[in-house]
Amino acid sequence: MRYYIYVSTAKVDMLYGQIPPKLLRRLAVEAKVDLKVVSVAVQSPRTDTSTYDRLDLVETYLEREFDVSWMSEPTAWFRGDLGLRIAGYGDANGPTLMMGEDGDTLVALIGSAHHLVGYQVAPDMPKVGFSGLPSMFGLLRDFPSEWEPQMNVRWWGRRSSGVGSDSIMCEVARCAEALTVPPVYCEFLARQLMRGTVTREDGRELAVIIGTPVYVAMSDREPGDGGEA
């Protein structure tokens, strides 16, 4: 069982709807989803399954049909396991930003706060999506004022106006350094949006991966336990 922090129902529903019906029963065996639920889903509207059943099937389908890589060498779909600093709690209809560093790899995940578990918007309010590069660029340019307590005051208000990919990667790295919220050790599955490198002050290169998560869950491991790299 996973203790989820973030589940993008929008991505899950979009991807689930594209799985060929004939594959659902086979995937259900691999994902250990109740076959009775899936047999109904094959013959009737796909919404009969729960969000977590659909997530299990989507994850199994991606693992089966695509190259899901590790975050240090990301492909279009990638996994990770590291301490994430999560900003964006407070406004259910705003963005959320999750950032973490492992060795020479920095991961920045952009998503919508209403996908944070427990932060649903009111039924009569339209849901705004933030799971894309335009949202990331907008955040780097103009962070919500309510995020100020979560950022290092020396960094606040000193963001550059550059728009090139190198400038963007540098701003992502600076933002990650500025976040002061405590990290939560997490595992995640995400879609890559952009990647690049920045040069540290000591001359070493830092790989910067920008993505949008399908899910983020608390990890059973702790830093230093080993595992994939």
Side-chain angles (χ1 to χ4, degrees):
M1 298 180 70
R2 288 176 177 146
Y3 193 94
Y4 289 103
I5 294 174
Y6 177 103
V7 177
S8 175
T9 54
K11 295 186 190 72
V12 170
D13 291 345
M14 173 185 65
L15 295 168
Y16 180 72
Q18 298 177 64
I19 300 175
K22 292 182 180 179
L23 273 180
L24 281 177
R25 181 175 291 276
R26 194 182 316 163
L27 293 174
V29 174
E30 297 177 29
K32 299 180 181 179
V33 172
D34 189 339
L35 287 176
K36 292 180 181 179
V37 173
V38 175
S39 66
V40 171
V42 171
Q43 300 169 21
S44 61
R46 291 170 178 256
T47 53
D48 289 346
T49 54
S50 73
T51 296
Y52 298 109
D53 284 333
R54 293 196 296 276
L55 174 57
D56 286 343
L57 290 167
V58 164
E59 185 175 10
T60 303
Y61 179 70
L62 291 175
E63 290 281 5
R64 179 189 180 96
E65 301 294 331
F66 295 87
D67 179 14
V68 180
S69 65
W70 194 246
M71 61 186 182
S72 56
E73 296 182 0
T75 52
W77 295 98
F78 66 98
R79 294 186 176 280
D81 193 341
L82 78 169
L84 291 175
R85 299 182 187 274
I86 304 174
Y89 284 97
D91 182 3
N93 219 354
T96 183
L97 186 60
M98 311 178 192
M99 311 183 84
E101 188 172 334
D102 182 27
D104 292 327
T105 299
L106 168 64
V107 176
L109 303 176
I110 178 72
S112 304
H114 61 257
H115 292 312
L116 290 165
V117 175
Y119 270 72
Q120 288 75 26
V121 297
D124 58 342
M125 290 184 63
K127 294 181 180 179
V128 181
F130 293 94
S131 298
L133 283 176
S135 296
M136 174 64 82
F137 298 160
L139 277 176
L140 294 175
R141 230 177 18 247
D142 186 20
F143 270 77
S145 58
E146 61 268 22
W147 287 26
E148 184 170 352
Q150 304 172 54
M151 311 296 290
N152 188 310
V153 295
R154 291 176 298 176
W155 179 84
W156 191 262
R158 294 174 55 193
R159 300 180 295 281
S160 72
S161 59
V163 295
S165 59
D166 290 345
S167 175
I168 291 166
M169 295 302 168
C170 288
E171 286 299 290
V172 170
R174 291 180 65 239
C175 178
E177 292 178 354
L179 277 174
T180 57
V181 291
V184 180
Y185 210 66
C186 298
E187 59 176 306
F188 60 84
L189 172 64
R191 180 65 162 85
Q192 184 185 157
L193 299 175
M194 188 177 184
R195 65 183 298 187
T197 59
V198 297
T199 303
R200 300 175 184 266
E201 292 183 359
D202 61 6
R204 293 186 301 146
E205 285 195 339
L206 177 69
V208 179
I209 317 300
I210 301 174
T212 184
V214 177
Y215 75 80
V216 178
M218 292 183 68
S219 175
D220 292 333
R221 294 200 302 111
E222 295 291 339
D225 284 353
E228 294 186 75

PDB file of all heavy atoms in Angstrom, residues 100-119:
ATOM      1  N   GLY A 100      13.632  18.339  -5.390  1.00  0.00           N
ATOM      2  CA  GLY A 100      14.566  17.558  -4.595  1.00  0.00           C
ATOM      3  C   GLY A 100      15.840  17.276  -5.372  1.00  0.00           C
ATOM      4  O   GLY A 100      15.837  17.252  -6.607  1.00  0.00           O
ATOM      5  N   GLU A 101      16.916  17.052  -4.645  1.00  0.00           N
ATOM      6  CA  GLU A 101      18.220  16.835  -5.259  1.00  0.00           C
ATOM      7  C   GLU A 101      18.839  15.557  -4.718  1.00  0.00           C
ATOM      8  O   GLU A 101      18.770  15.283  -3.520  1.00  0.00           O
ATOM      9  CB  GLU A 101      19.131  18.031  -4.967  1.00  0.00           C
ATOM     10  CG  GLU A 101      20.445  18.014  -5.713  1.00  0.00           C
ATOM     11  CD  GLU A 101      21.230  19.300  -5.535  1.00  0.00           C
ATOM     12  OE1 GLU A 101      20.600  20.347  -5.267  1.00  0.00           O
ATOM     13  OE2 GLU A 101      22.478  19.264  -5.650  1.00  0.00           O
ATOM     14  N   ASP A 102      19.440  14.783  -5.630  1.00  0.00           N
ATOM     15  CA  ASP A 102      20.131  13.552  -5.258  1.00  0.00           C
ATOM     16  C   ASP A 102      21.441  13.509  -6.036  1.00  0.00           C
ATOM     17  O   ASP A 102      21.435  13.306  -7.247  1.00  0.00           O
ATOM     18  CB  ASP A 102      19.277  12.321  -5.590  1.00  0.00           C
ATOM     19  CG  ASP A 102      19.943  11.018  -5.181  1.00  0.00           C
ATOM     20  OD1 ASP A 102      20.755  11.043  -4.233  1.00  0.00           O
ATOM     21  OD2 ASP A 102      19.672   9.984  -5.814  1.00  0.00           O
ATOM     22  N   GLY A 103      22.547  13.730  -5.335  1.00  0.00           N
ATOM     23  CA  GLY A 103      23.833  13.762  -6.018  1.00  0.00           C
ATOM     24  C   GLY A 103      23.887  14.906  -7.009  1.00  0.00           C
ATOM     25  O   GLY A 103      23.698  16.069  -6.655  1.00  0.00           O
ATOM     26  N   ASP A 104      24.109  14.579  -8.280  1.00  0.00           N
ATOM     27  CA  ASP A 104      24.194  15.587  -9.330  1.00  0.00           C
ATOM     28  C   ASP A 104      22.917  15.671 -10.148  1.00  0.00           C
ATOM     29  O   ASP A 104      22.938  16.099 -11.305  1.00  0.00           O
ATOM     30  CB  ASP A 104      25.387  15.280 -10.257  1.00  0.00           C
ATOM     31  CG  ASP A 104      26.717  15.458  -9.547  1.00  0.00           C
ATOM     32  OD1 ASP A 104      26.795  16.336  -8.668  1.00  0.00           O
ATOM     33  OD2 ASP A 104      27.672  14.723  -9.865  1.00  0.00           O
ATOM     34  N   THR A 105      21.790  15.266  -9.565  1.00  0.00           N
ATOM     35  CA  THR A 105      20.498  15.330 -10.246  1.00  0.00           C
ATOM     36  C   THR A 105      19.510  16.138  -9.408  1.00  0.00           C
ATOM     37  O   THR A 105      19.318  15.857  -8.226  1.00  0.00           O
ATOM     38  CB  THR A 105      19.924  13.920 -10.486  1.00  0.00           C
ATOM     39  OG1 THR A 105      20.820  13.170 -11.304  1.00  0.00           O
ATOM     40  CG2 THR A 105      18.568  13.998 -11.189  1.00  0.00           C
ATOM     41  N   LEU A 106      18.903  17.148 -10.027  1.00  0.00           N
ATOM     42  CA  LEU A 106      17.868  17.950  -9.393  1.00  0.00           C
ATOM     43  C   LEU A 106      16.558  17.708 -10.143  1.00  0.00           C
ATOM     44  O   LEU A 106      16.502  17.828 -11.371  1.00  0.00           O
ATOM     45  CB  LEU A 106      18.228  19.437  -9.449  1.00  0.00           C
ATOM     46  CG  LEU A 106      17.116  20.431  -9.071  1.00  0.00           C
ATOM     47  CD1 LEU A 106      16.714  20.251  -7.609  1.00  0.00           C
ATOM     48  CD2 LEU A 106      17.559  21.865  -9.334  1.00  0.00           C
ATOM     49  N   VAL A 107      15.508  17.350  -9.405  1.00  0.00           N
ATOM     50  CA  VAL A 107      14.191  17.109  -9.986  1.00  0.00           C
ATOM     51  C   VAL A 107      13.245  18.210  -9.532  1.00  0.00           C
ATOM     52  O   VAL A 107      13.167  18.523  -8.340  1.00  0.00           O
ATOM     53  CB  VAL A 107      13.632  15.729  -9.570  1.00  0.00           C
ATOM     54  CG1 VAL A 107      12.212  15.540 -10.103  1.00  0.00           C
ATOM     55  CG2 VAL A 107      14.540  14.616 -10.082  1.00  0.00           C
ATOM     56  N   ALA A 108      12.532  18.810 -10.496  1.00  0.00           N
ATOM     57  CA  ALA A 108      11.511  19.819 -10.205  1.00  0.00           C
ATOM     58  C   ALA A 108      10.204  19.358 -10.832  1.00  0.00           C
ATOM     59  O   ALA A 108      10.122  19.195 -12.056  1.00  0.00           O
ATOM     60  CB  ALA A 108      11.922  21.181 -10.761  1.00  0.00           C
ATOM     61  N   LEU A 109       9.188  19.123 -10.006  1.00  0.00           N
ATOM     62  CA  LEU A 109       7.892  18.639 -10.478  1.00  0.00           C
ATOM     63  C   LEU A 109       6.842  19.728 -10.301  1.00  0.00           C
ATOM     64  O   LEU A 109       6.683  20.268  -9.207  1.00  0.00           O
ATOM     65  CB  LEU A 109       7.469  17.385  -9.696  1.00  0.00           C
ATOM     66  CG  LEU A 109       8.441  16.198  -9.728  1.00  0.00           C
ATOM     67  CD1 LEU A 109       7.927  15.074  -8.831  1.00  0.00           C
ATOM     68  CD2 LEU A 109       8.642  15.701 -11.161  1.00  0.00           C
ATOM     69  N   ILE A 110       6.130  20.045 -11.382  1.00  0.00           N
ATOM     70  CA  ILE A 110       5.091  21.065 -11.352  1.00  0.00           C
ATOM     71  C   ILE A 110       3.727  20.402 -11.508  1.00  0.00           C
ATOM     72  O   ILE A 110       3.559  19.508 -12.348  1.00  0.00           O
ATOM     73  CB  ILE A 110       5.330  22.125 -12.466  1.00  0.00           C
ATOM     74  CG1 ILE A 110       4.212  23.178 -12.488  1.00  0.00           C
ATOM     75  CG2 ILE A 110       5.455  21.463 -13.837  1.00  0.00           C
ATOM     76  CD1 ILE A 110       4.252  24.130 -11.352  1.00  0.00           C
ATOM     77  N   GLY A 111       2.776  20.791 -10.682  1.00  0.00           N
ATOM     78  CA  GLY A 111       1.443  20.205 -10.759  1.00  0.00           C
ATOM     79  C   GLY A 111       0.400  21.163 -10.216  1.00  0.00           C
ATOM     80  O   GLY A 111       0.691  22.330  -9.914  1.00  0.00           O
ATOM     81  N   SER A 112      -0.821  20.677 -10.084  1.00  0.00           N
ATOM     82  CA  SER A 112      -1.940  21.474  -9.597  1.00  0.00           C
ATOM     83  C   SER A 112      -2.238  21.101  -8.150  1.00  0.00           C
ATOM     84  O   SER A 112      -2.331  19.920  -7.815  1.00  0.00           O
ATOM     85  CB  SER A 112      -3.178  21.223 -10.457  1.00  0.00           C
ATOM     86  OG  SER A 112      -2.899  21.492 -11.826  1.00  0.00           O
ATOM     87  N   ALA A 113      -2.405  22.122  -7.307  1.00  0.00           N
ATOM     88  CA  ALA A 113      -2.587  21.877  -5.873  1.00  0.00           C
ATOM     89  C   ALA A 113      -3.844  21.070  -5.575  1.00  0.00           C
ATOM     90  O   ALA A 113      -3.893  20.364  -4.569  1.00  0.00           O
ATOM     91  CB  ALA A 113      -2.610  23.201  -5.114  1.00  0.00           C
ATOM     92  N   HIS A 114      -4.867  21.137  -6.451  1.00  0.00           N
ATOM     93  CA  HIS A 114      -6.082  20.376  -6.129  1.00  0.00           C
ATOM     94  C   HIS A 114      -5.878  18.874  -6.272  1.00  0.00           C
ATOM     95  O   HIS A 114      -6.749  18.102  -5.885  1.00  0.00           O
ATOM     96  CB  HIS A 114      -7.273  20.837  -6.992  1.00  0.00           C
ATOM     97  CG  HIS A 114      -7.094  20.664  -8.461  1.00  0.00           C
ATOM     98  ND1 HIS A 114      -6.788  21.717  -9.311  1.00  0.00           N
ATOM     99  CD2 HIS A 114      -7.200  19.583  -9.250  1.00  0.00           C
ATOM    100  CE1 HIS A 114      -6.708  21.273 -10.550  1.00  0.00           C
ATOM    101  NE2 HIS A 114      -6.949  19.991 -10.540  1.00  0.00           N
ATOM    102  N   HIS A 115      -4.705  18.449  -6.798  1.00  0.00           N
ATOM    103  CA  HIS A 115      -4.381  17.027  -6.832  1.00  0.00           C
ATOM    104  C   HIS A 115      -3.626  16.574  -5.583  1.00  0.00           C
ATOM    105  O   HIS A 115      -3.378  15.378  -5.411  1.00  0.00           O
ATOM    106  CB  HIS A 115      -3.553  16.688  -8.075  1.00  0.00           C
ATOM    107  CG  HIS A 115      -4.308  16.828  -9.357  1.00  0.00           C
ATOM    108  ND1 HIS A 115      -5.564  16.304  -9.544  1.00  0.00           N
ATOM    109  CD2 HIS A 115      -3.979  17.438 -10.532  1.00  0.00           C
ATOM    110  CE1 HIS A 115      -5.983  16.576 -10.768  1.00  0.00           C
ATOM    111  NE2 HIS A 115      -5.048  17.265 -11.382  1.00  0.00           N
ATOM    112  N   LEU A 116      -3.244  17.521  -4.709  1.00  0.00           N
ATOM    113  CA  LEU A 116      -2.682  17.139  -3.421  1.00  0.00           C
ATOM    114  C   LEU A 116      -3.788  16.487  -2.606  1.00  0.00           C
ATOM    115  O   LEU A 116      -4.918  16.993  -2.552  1.00  0.00           O
ATOM    116  CB  LEU A 116      -2.147  18.371  -2.683  1.00  0.00           C
ATOM    117  CG  LEU A 116      -0.887  19.013  -3.269  1.00  0.00           C
ATOM    118  CD1 LEU A 116      -0.692  20.407  -2.669  1.00  0.00           C
ATOM    119  CD2 LEU A 116       0.340  18.148  -2.997  1.00  0.00           C
ATOM    120  N   VAL A 117      -3.490  15.360  -2.002  1.00  0.00           N
ATOM    121  CA  VAL A 117      -4.506  14.628  -1.253  1.00  0.00           C
ATOM    122  C   VAL A 117      -5.029  15.507  -0.109  1.00  0.00           C
ATOM    123  O   VAL A 117      -4.260  16.021   0.698  1.00  0.00           O
ATOM    124  CB  VAL A 117      -3.938  13.298  -0.703  1.00  0.00           C
ATOM    125  CG1 VAL A 117      -4.962  12.591   0.171  1.00  0.00           C
ATOM    126  CG2 VAL A 117      -3.514  12.397  -1.858  1.00  0.00           C
ATOM    127  N   GLY A 118      -6.329  15.715  -0.084  1.00  0.00           N
ATOM    128  CA  GLY A 118      -6.946  16.546   0.941  1.00  0.00           C
ATOM    129  C   GLY A 118      -7.135  17.986   0.545  1.00  0.00           C
ATOM    130  O   GLY A 118      -7.661  18.782   1.332  1.00  0.00           O
ATOM    131  N   TYR A 119      -6.757  18.366  -0.693  1.00  0.00           N
ATOM    132  CA  TYR A 119      -6.868  19.761  -1.133  1.00  0.00           C
ATOM    133  C   TYR A 119      -7.776  19.903  -2.340  1.00  0.00           C
ATOM    134  O   TYR A 119      -7.461  20.574  -3.303  1.00  0.00           O
ATOM    135  CB  TYR A 119      -5.483  20.328  -1.454  1.00  0.00           C
ATOM    136  CG  TYR A 119      -4.830  20.957  -0.249  1.00  0.00           C
ATOM    137  CD1 TYR A 119      -4.358  20.150   0.783  1.00  0.00           C
ATOM    138  CD2 TYR A 119      -4.704  22.321  -0.122  1.00  0.00           C
ATOM    139  CE1 TYR A 119      -3.779  20.703   1.907  1.00  0.00           C
ATOM    140  CE2 TYR A 119      -4.120  22.892   0.993  1.00  0.00           C
ATOM    141  CZ  TYR A 119      -3.654  22.073   2.005  1.00  0.00           C
ATOM    142  OH  TYR A 119      -3.088  22.631   3.115  1.00  0.00           O
TER     143      TYR A 119
END
